[in-house]
Amino acid sequence: MKISKYNSKITLDFLLNEKENQFFDRKSASIKINKLAEAIVGFANANGGLIVVGIEDGKIQGVLSQGNTKVNDIIQCGFQKCIPSVNYKYENIPVKKDNGKEDEIILLHVEPSVDKVHKTEADEVFLRVGDETIKLNHEQRLDLEYDKGSRLYEEQIVEGCTLDDLDKEVLDKYKKILDFNGSFEELLLARGFLRRVNGQIKLTVAGVLMFAKYPTAFIPSARLRFFRYDGTKADVGTSMNISKQKVFEGPIPKLIEESKKFIDTQLREFTALDKNTGQFITVPEYPPFAWQEGVINAITHRAYNIHGDDIKVFMFDDRLEIHSPGRLPNIVNVENIKYTRYSRNPKIARALTEFGWVRELNEGVKRIYRDMEQFFLDPPVYIETNSSVILTLKNNILMRRQRREERISSIINRSWKSLTDDEKVALEIAYAKEKLKTRQLADALGKSLQYARKILKKLEEKKLIKKIATSNYDPNLHYILNTEDESGTADK
């Protein structure tokens, strides 16, 4: 049963069982008011969110036992104990405790601050990061103050865009996700994508980006461009090596979905050995989560106030580069990006979290690192330039050799490391091409036919390959990998 008039997703079950995260926190009714102020400041300085007071360890405490003065202090904490006052709404929700007694819990719906840095009466600044509220040092406070200005763009009014310009399909999906029964106008007003200005309804930049059918009609840079290059560098002029390019436009939820589907078709696949099962499996060129999260983060957190520059995805033979306009928010840097979260566009980030696209607790970036490691690939590389953030996911030739090495090693049932480099090349060709000729090996090694025959003879003696020929003079003589064990029984 829904219990909040401000957020239809909130039920008592949600308040009791939802994991604490970037947008949600529980506090005991006995919390000291100055500690509650720290939490409110942390949410306001970050992306906003919900604080429920009166639930602890999965049980309803209620707040009435604290007395009217304490209940009133909880409600007014954000106004009286935070400097400047925090913008939030509160609700007193009737509940029943486990013993059957009636009580209340308090919901504090904290709005993200756009252009202010809030602090406590003790002159301390806090920031919500994942499921923690952290205290900022002096340098971090200065960075946060500097960065607040860039949030203003998401809140700006877009003249000329009306409700008729919005994508009803995306809006319907959003209403369904939130289980919202009101009109589109009421929904967008409640979520801050619409504002009343002089008695008129006006869409904000965030509203246009999220829900307009054609956001580029109002914000020209709101697109993503994909480029596929042949080779490992971008050539120009007559040597231009772009083999595929595509432009994606539309409301952000569709932009994500359509670009994700297309990029997936451009990725190659490789064969690898599943070490858990011992079976050969087909693996994608990059971990699916890693590249998808990289694209989603670029769309969510880019600086949309930078015009004339789009999000770009460059695919080379050995790497994928995702370029997002704008520098990292100043509380985040390439050293702490794995653990620190601060959204330049909090309303967009919040909505995409509700759509299921944006990960909480900074899980996304940490998982990119983890998935790349599990694919035996280099760690992701984040680079910050004067005008953009670049994420590079590497899938180099050496990695592909390792994957081939794993399969070949399993087929021949021998120690790969005991072989010479030239013997490994011979086996790789035999695997990749399914058969190997003497001339083919000589050309690959840049050696003579006599030397190639010597390598092949050694591998044949080791029973790693076998000769296929009707005679020594057969023009079709070639070698294949030996898939039989030493007893002559074929591997299954």
Side-chain angles (χ1 to χ4, degrees):
M1 184 178 67
K2 293 176 284 188
I3 60 175
S4 171
K5 64 182 178 181
Y6 298 119
N7 189 338
S8 56
K9 284 188 67 175
I10 297 175
T11 63
L12 191 57
D13 181 69
F14 174 92
L15 296 175
L16 287 168
N17 299 307
E18 180 73 3
K19 289 184 178 180
E20 294 181 349
N21 55 52
Q22 182 75 30
F23 302 105
F24 177 60
D25 196 8
R26 298 182 188 87
K27 296 299 180 186
S28 167
S30 60
I31 187 173
K32 294 182 179 179
I33 295 301
N34 65 327
K35 297 300 291 184
L36 179 60
E38 293 175 4
I40 294 173
V41 163
F43 274 96
N45 284 333
N47 301 323
L50 172 67
I51 300 173
V52 54
V53 182
I55 293 180
E56 186 176 26
D57 298 328
K59 294 184 178 180
I60 299 174
Q61 284 181 314
V63 297
L64 296 183
S65 62
Q66 301 296 313
N68 290 338
T69 300
K70 177 67 176 289
V71 170
N72 191 57
D73 287 344
I74 291 171
I75 291 171
Q76 297 191 22
C77 180
F79 305 114
Q80 296 182 346
K81 301 295 182 180
C82 303
I83 305 170
S85 295
V86 170
N87 181 22
Y88 67 98
K89 304 179 184 73
Y90 70 89
E91 295 180 278
N92 296 77
I93 307 297
V95 292
K96 280 189 178 181
K97 298 194 291 187
D98 291 344
N99 60 12
K101 290 185 178 180
E102 295 184 351
D103 212 308
E104 289 182 358
I105 56 176
I106 298 174
L107 304 185
L108 304 176
H109 303 270
V110 183
E111 291 294 321
S113 171
V114 177
D115 57 350
K116 299 180 181 68
V117 173
H118 298 272
K119 61 184 179 180
T120 65
E121 287 186 318
D123 193 34
E124 294 176 332
V125 174
F126 294 84
L127 186 71
R128 185 73 175 180
V129 179
D131 60 351
E132 297 181 327
T133 300
I134 64 171
K135 180 180 174 181
L136 302 188
N137 60 35
H138 178 70
E139 183 178 346
Q140 290 171 326
R141 287 177 63 165
L142 292 177
D143 287 341
L144 184 61
E145 289 169 1
Y146 175 82
D147 194 69
K148 282 287 182 176
S150 64
R151 283 194 165 185
L152 288 169
Y153 189 71
E154 186 192 49
E155 298 281 338
Q156 285 185 10
I157 296 299
V158 178
E159 297 292 346
C161 186
T162 69
L163 292 177
D164 292 334
D165 295 307
L166 303 187
D167 190 310
K168 301 300 189 293
E169 183 180 352
V170 178
L171 284 168
D172 280 331
K173 185 175 182 179
Y174 194 42
K175 281 185 66 175
K176 185 176 181 181
I177 288 170
L178 297 179
D179 194 20
F180 190 86
N181 296 321
S183 66
F184 290 149
E185 180 178 315
E186 291 170 330
L187 171 63
L188 297 178
L189 279 169
R191 285 309 209 214
F193 295 112
L194 276 180
R195 297 215 325 255
R196 297 187 190 278
V197 181
N198 298 325
Q200 294 183 312
I201 296 297
K202 300 283 188 178
L203 278 150
T204 64
V205 166
V208 170
L209 290 169
M210 281 295 301
F211 301 108
K213 286 182 183 178
Y214 308 106
T216 52
F218 308 96
I219 305 167
S221 60
R223 60 168 62 91
L224 182 149
R225 289 194 286 167
F226 172 88
F227 301 87
R228 175 75 172 91
Y229 288 90
D230 291 330
T232 59
K233 64 178 182 178
D235 294 327
V236 296
T238 57
S239 300
M240 183 174 291
N241 56 333
I242 297 176
S243 60
K244 196 83 172 181
Q245 57 180 314
K246 191 172 178 66
V247 178
F248 299 91
E249 299 179 359
I252 284 178
K254 287 188 174 180
L255 183 70
I256 291 174
E257 184 68 38
E258 292 170 8
S259 62
K260 183 174 81 75
K261 286 181 180 179
F262 176 80
I263 294 172
D264 191 49
T265 67
Q266 301 301 301
L267 297 173
R268 294 161 292 186
E269 293 182 334
F270 298 95
T271 301
L273 180 68
D274 186 333
K275 294 181 178 179
N276 295 319
T277 65
Q279 301 295 315
F280 297 124
I281 58 173
T282 299
V283 297
E285 188 170 5
Y286 303 95
F289 181 91
W291 68 263
Q292 291 173 19
E293 185 72 2
V295 170
I296 292 168
N297 282 345
I299 293 171
T300 306
H301 303 299
R302 66 152 290 181
Y304 284 97
N305 59 316
I306 297 178
H307 301 294
D309 195 8
D310 313 315
I311 297 168
K312 300 182 185 69
V313 178
F314 297 102
M315 183 179 289
F316 297 91
D317 285 352
D318 63 344
R319 69 192 185 279
L320 189 73
E321 294 181 4
I322 301 168
H323 294 233
S324 178
R327 294 172 60 84
L328 288 168
N330 279 278
I331 197 66
V332 184
N333 55 55
V334 294
E335 284 76 31
N336 68 15
I337 193 171
K338 193 173 179 180
Y339 306 101
T340 304
R341 174 171 176 157
Y342 177 82
S343 178
R344 176 180 283 114
N345 308 303
K347 285 188 169 58
I348 292 173
R350 181 72 179 273
L352 290 179
T353 299
E354 293 163 335
F355 270 99
W357 287 117
V358 172
R359 309 290 168 170
E360 298 179 358
L361 300 174
N362 228 47
E363 168 202 350
V365 176
K366 285 190 288 188
R367 186 171 164 187
I368 292 176
Y369 278 84
R370 184 174 72 246
D371 283 13
M372 291 293 283
E373 180 179 4
Q374 290 178 351
F375 266 57
F376 303 103
L377 294 170
D378 291 343
V381 176
Y382 286 91
I383 297 174
E384 186 177 35
T385 71
N386 289 331
S387 59
S388 65
V389 177
I390 303 170
L391 168 62
T392 300
L393 304 177
K394 296 180 181 179
N395 181 29
N396 55 43
I397 299 301
L398 292 177
M399 192 62 253
R400 296 173 196 167
R401 288 174 61 90
Q402 180 174 327
R403 288 176 177 167
R404 290 198 296 270
E405 174 183 318
E406 288 176 342
R407 181 166 187 183
I408 295 170
S409 294
S410 66
I411 292 175
I412 64 180
N413 196 25
R414 294 290 189 275
S415 173
W416 178 261
K417 293 181 180 179
S418 69
L419 302 175
T420 68
D421 288 343
D422 290 346
E423 288 172 338
K424 291 180 181 179
V425 170
L427 292 176
E428 287 193 39
I429 296 173
Y431 165 62
K433 302 294 185 181
E434 296 187 352
K435 64 181 182 180
L436 172 62
K437 291 189 173 185
T438 307
R439 167 62 67 183
Q440 196 175 15
L441 179 59
D443 291 344
L445 297 176
K447 302 287 182 66
S448 66
L449 286 171
Q450 183 179 1
Y451 180 82
R453 291 190 189 99
K454 182 179 177 182
I455 295 295
L456 293 169
K457 184 177 180 180
K458 286 182 178 179
L459 291 174
E460 192 178 11
E461 290 172 351
K462 295 177 180 180
K463 297 185 179 181
L464 301 180
I465 62 173
K466 60 182 179 180
K467 185 189 298 183
I468 306 296
T470 57
S471 70
N472 287 335
Y473 303 102
D474 184 353
N476 293 318
L477 184 152
H478 63 274
Y479 297 84
I480 64 172
L481 288 176
N482 185 10
T483 58
E484 297 180 350
D485 59 24
E486 292 184 358
S487 65
T489 303
D491 293 335
K492 300 297 183 184

